[in-house]
Amino acid sequence: MRHTRLAFPREQKPGGRVRRALEVPRPRGFMGRVLPASFGAPPPPSPGVYGRCLVGEGAPLSAAALSCLQVGVSREGTVAAYGLLARESLGAGEELFSIPRTALLSQHTSTLAPLLRKEEASLQSSSGWVPLLISLLYECTVSNSHWGPYFSLWPQFTDLDHPMFWGPEERARLLQGTGILEAVEKDLVNIEMEYSSIILPFLKAHPDLFNPKVHTLELYRRLVAFVMAYSFQEPLNEEEEEEEPNPPVMVPLADLLNHVANHNANLEFSPESLKMVTTQPVRKGQEIFNTYGEMANWQLLHMYGFAEAYPGNTNDSADIQMLMLLKAALQATDTEMEEKLVLDQWKFLCHQEMVGEEGAFVIGWERVFTEEELSVALQVLTMSAEEFKEFKDQEAKTDRKGTTCLLESVTMIPNLSAAQKKLLFDATLLTLKGFSSSLKEEETMLGDLQAYLQLSRREQFALQVRYGQKKILHQLLELAK
């Protein structure tokens, strides 16, 4: 359950990393990271050094203990800077390693923990990340930090290759239509606003600890990406579901595992430690993959800097912006009266909180993740004036929102009324027009292995994102015919 979006609340899934919740409904789940080989990450440290890197001197998990683990650190067979490979064949349910809570790097274990508690009121933010980020700002730059060896795995954090670090022109060329452009723009605005309004005043108030010339906005941006790609968030239990989510923490060793949808390990939380446990048999030499949650490829690229190759990501999804459904409904009107009816229906849907200007309907390979929102919107936007009036009256009488006929599966789409299918079909076509290339062009590139391998890592990942989304949208066109 890795990652969350800065300045937005977070969703959670048990045993995963911090996941950025989006301002629109998302699939029920949550990260990983694939770093471009061209960035030249440092070679894996020796077992002894690695033990110190992970937990700090004197921590319970010693170098000797690490050498006895059933997994080994490697860059072979992995798509990231680091990965863990099985040293022997393992069965399902085996504990790979255990990280004591004393070894976690968080706002509570940082050298600055007492100061952060004292200044807690001034460090409140919508992201909830500020205390951890201040801890990282300090610990990664002070020469005698207990966590220095840990940070040495990521020198200056230059291996991070989230789209926020791509040039604007490159982002636009590769990611138009995917939803990543808009998400990155919001991230950059929120990061700068949080740094200038909260972080910088704190730095200036403690000149004995911080130097704004060292602890810059650029370093802060890098650390935000580091938290996005490597932090974990402990899930709330059932009694705590209405409370604020737990803050993110850095979990040495566990943060080296990469992600695939068909993962073979999962992180489990206990009062004393965090344990990585296999979820299926693993062969000797096979890479151990954690799950960052049910993440679409665009989320993986946006938040972690990589995407799974088609058709590996069974959790992939495509968005249809809610406003695109309104646009499709309006373009089908012939008179001012019909146009007014559609706008009244849209206003009603907004009041019912079924749609919003920044919202999106999320469609997966098998599921409609926003089933209620899409079902109700299609139903209301295709009603006649008389049907709409009756529907509103019934809603007011029963204080009932929505409908019991939900599109829980994409296989139910052919059962929609002809008008609803046409509306969905038209909105899907409009969405596909938002991409700068066609599905045929993507298929041609993917079908030419030599040409594909000549693409940069960024181009390959962006292509996988676009292709997966278009395949889902074209499947939707077929179902809505």
Side-chain angles (χ1 to χ4, degrees):
M1 175 191 304
R2 286 203 212 185
H3 179 74
T4 61
R5 161 125 29 118
L6 190 67
F8 286 93
R10 295 170 293 280
E11 295 175 4
Q12 296 181 320
K13 181 182 177 71
R17 301 203 184 184
V18 179
R19 176 196 182 277
R20 166 176 327 206
L22 306 167
E23 71 274 29
V24 297
R26 299 307 312 162
R28 276 61 163 166
F30 294 58
M31 87 188 149
R33 58 218 173 346
V34 176
L35 306 180
S38 59
F39 273 75
S46 66
V49 173
Y50 196 69
R52 294 194 299 275
C53 284
L54 288 175
V55 299
E57 300 293 345
L61 186 58
S62 65
L66 276 173
S67 65
C68 297
L69 291 176
Q70 300 180 86
V71 293
V73 183
S74 176
R75 291 179 64 185
E76 303 215 355
T78 177
V79 291
Y82 299 107
L84 295 189
L85 305 182
R87 287 177 168 166
E88 57 188 74
S89 295
L90 305 168
E94 289 198 45
E95 180 181 312
L96 298 172
F97 55 81
S98 176
I99 307 295
R101 287 186 178 269
T102 53
L104 308 184
L105 172 51
S106 73
Q107 64 197 65
H108 305 298
T109 60
S110 166
T111 308
L112 300 184
L115 176 61
L116 295 174
R117 286 193 294 270
K118 179 181 177 182
E119 302 283 351
E120 181 178 3
S122 66
L123 301 179
Q124 297 298 312
S125 69
S126 54
S127 72
W129 292 16
V130 166
L132 175 61
L133 287 165
I134 289 176
S135 299
L136 297 178
L137 275 172
Y138 177 78
E139 299 290 356
C140 78
T141 54
V142 66
S143 60
N144 60 346
S145 172
H146 177 75
W147 300 97
Y150 173 68
F151 290 116
S152 70
L153 293 172
W154 300 278
Q156 288 79 53
F157 308 101
T158 53
D159 282 340
L160 300 170
D161 197 38
H162 299 62
M164 73 165 72
F165 300 121
W166 304 6
E169 292 183 2
E170 184 176 24
R171 280 201 301 266
R173 177 172 61 86
L174 297 178
L175 302 174
Q176 180 179 323
T178 64
I180 299 177
L181 289 178
E182 297 78 6
V184 169
E185 288 171 4
K186 290 182 180 179
D187 284 346
L188 294 175
V189 169
N190 290 327
I191 290 170
E192 185 168 357
M193 181 172 57
E194 190 162 273
Y195 180 83
S196 61
S197 63
I198 302 176
I199 299 298
L200 198 53
F202 183 84
L203 304 186
K204 292 179 177 179
H206 302 283
D208 56 322
L209 299 173
F210 296 99
N211 180 353
K213 293 183 178 180
V214 174
H215 304 98
T216 61
L217 172 61
E218 176 57 28
L219 176 58
Y220 189 72
R221 189 181 293 118
R222 290 280 172 184
L223 288 173
V224 169
F226 182 58
V227 173
M228 287 169 68
Y230 287 92
S231 68
F232 287 75
Q233 182 182 39
E234 185 166 2
L236 299 171
N237 57 43
E238 293 182 2
E239 294 75 24
E240 301 171 324
E241 285 184 351
E242 299 303 318
E243 298 182 12
E244 285 294 310
N246 290 309
V249 298
M250 312 310 295
V251 185
L253 185 57
D255 59 12
L256 298 189
L257 272 75
N258 293 301
H259 159 98
V260 292
N262 183 27
H263 58 98
N264 51 21
N266 197 24
L267 189 66
E268 297 182 355
F269 295 79
S270 71
E272 297 78 26
S273 63
L274 280 63
K275 301 177 181 180
M276 191 65 69
V277 179
T278 57
T279 58
Q280 56 180 283
V282 180
R283 302 185 311 275
K284 180 179 179 179
Q286 185 178 355
E287 184 168 4
I288 309 295
F289 287 100
N290 186 19
T291 175
Y292 305 162
E294 298 172 10
M295 307 292 288
N297 260 352
W298 84 264
Q299 293 172 297
L300 290 173
L301 183 56
H302 169 214
M303 299 184 284
Y304 316 116
F306 80 103
E308 286 195 67
Y310 177 86
N313 191 354
T314 54
N315 298 316
D316 210 0
S317 65
D319 288 1
I320 295 178
Q321 297 300 311
M322 291 177 173
L323 282 176
M324 205 63 78
L325 197 68
L326 173 62
K327 183 177 180 179
L330 287 172
Q331 75 178 14
T333 61
D334 296 319
T335 67
E336 289 186 8
M337 187 174 295
E338 290 177 348
E339 181 178 322
K340 182 179 183 303
L341 174 61
V342 169
L343 292 174
D344 288 343
Q345 291 167 336
W346 181 260
K347 184 177 180 180
F348 171 80
L349 289 168
C350 289
H351 180 73
Q352 295 290 86
E353 298 183 345
M354 286 293 159
V355 298
E357 290 191 1
E358 294 190 0
F361 303 111
V362 185
I363 317 295
W365 286 110
E366 299 179 354
R367 287 187 56 189
V368 178
F369 292 99
T370 50
E371 66 272 16
E372 183 177 10
E373 292 86 353
L374 181 58
S375 300
V376 176
L378 289 172
Q379 180 182 355
V380 171
L381 289 173
T382 55
M383 288 178 177
S384 66
E386 294 76 15
E387 291 169 335
F388 181 50
K389 182 180 183 304
E390 182 180 346
F391 182 79
K392 286 195 299 181
D393 292 342
Q394 184 66 24
E395 292 285 299
K397 289 178 183 178
T398 61
D399 192 29
R400 177 179 60 86
K401 295 182 179 180
T403 175
T404 56
C405 183
L406 300 182
L407 288 170
E408 296 178 350
S409 167
V410 296
T411 59
M412 301 174 67
I413 290 174
N415 299 328
L416 295 172
S417 69
Q420 291 175 20
K421 284 192 289 185
K422 183 180 186 309
L423 179 57
L424 181 57
F425 185 92
D426 290 346
T428 304
L429 275 182
L430 289 172
T431 300
L432 283 165
K433 289 180 180 178
F435 291 92
S436 58
S437 57
S438 67
L439 179 65
K440 182 66 176 177
E441 291 175 88
E442 319 280 69
E443 287 177 337
T444 300
M445 179 59 70
L446 286 169
D448 187 341
L449 180 59
Q450 184 175 357
Y452 179 77
L453 293 177
Q454 290 177 350
L455 298 176
S456 68
R457 296 295 291 271
R458 292 178 178 181
E459 290 172 326
Q460 290 178 3
F461 293 147
L463 174 58
Q464 295 292 347
V465 171
R466 298 193 307 267
Y467 185 68
Q469 290 184 343
K470 290 175 189 176
K471 288 288 286 185
I472 291 172
L473 291 170
H474 275 269
Q475 174 182 270
L476 193 56
L477 288 180
E478 290 296 317
L479 293 167
K481 274 185 177 179

